Amino acid sequence: MGKILMVEDDPGIMEVSKIILEKAGHTFIGLREGETILQTVAIEKPDLILLDLMLPGVNGSEIATKLKKNPESKEIPVVVVSARYNIKQIAEEIGSDGYLSKPFEIEDLTDLAEKYLQKA
């Protein structure tokens, strides 16, 4: 199983995701904002990052770009999560490894985690 870092400002989505992923056997780390993500990644060394695009203060797209340019995090799969209608296009433009549309089903989240953690 893997270590998953989720950056999500919605406490409900964060809590449900934590329950689902921990039940599936993963270690879950949650951040409510993106300002400290690079430091958290350096310390925690997650196997997968789930990143909300709409965060207070800093844009999720900017964070994804920084993660993919940073030598310490560029190999970690980054999956953007959003309710935006054009999330697939945004994910491709910013170079993320994938995307998850909100609202999502339990199976969508667990399947996505398994897909990216098999590569780790």
Side-chain angles (χ1 to χ4, degrees):
M1 295 296 131
K3 186 185 286 190
I4 301 171
L5 170 62
M6 181 175 220
V7 185
E8 171 63 62
D9 62 329
D10 183 312
I13 292 174
M14 177 80 78
E15 185 61 27
V16 169
S17 298
K18 179 182 189 320
I19 291 167
I20 292 167
L21 293 169
E22 286 182 345
K23 186 175 181 179
H26 303 291
T27 301
F28 183 90
I29 304 156
L31 287 178
R32 288 272 187 83
E33 45 75 31
E35 278 83 12
T36 61
I37 190 168
L38 293 178
Q39 297 90 335
T40 302
V41 167
I43 294 166
E44 296 289 345
K45 300 184 182 358
D47 301 306
L48 173 63
I49 299 170
L50 302 176
L51 177 63
D52 186 8
L53 287 179
M54 305 296 284
L55 295 167
V58 63
N59 184 301
S61 297
E62 293 171 19
I63 294 171
T65 302
K66 286 180 185 179
L67 287 166
K68 286 305 183 179
K69 289 183 178 178
N70 184 326
E72 289 188 39
S73 59
K74 68 180 182 180
E75 299 299 321
I76 301 170
V78 175
V79 176
V80 293
V81 183
S82 180
R84 295 188 52 183
Y85 73 93
N86 59 342
I87 186 170
K88 181 179 180 182
Q89 178 185 348
I90 293 169
E92 291 171 358
E93 288 173 1
I94 64 176
S96 71
D97 296 278
Y99 66 93
L100 180 62
S101 296
K102 292 180 188 176
F104 51 82
E105 300 291 327
I106 291 172
E107 295 82 21
D108 297 336
L109 183 59
T110 55
D111 290 350
L112 182 131
E114 297 307 316
K115 174 183 174 182
Y116 287 99
L117 293 173
Q118 285 178 357
K119 297 177 183 178

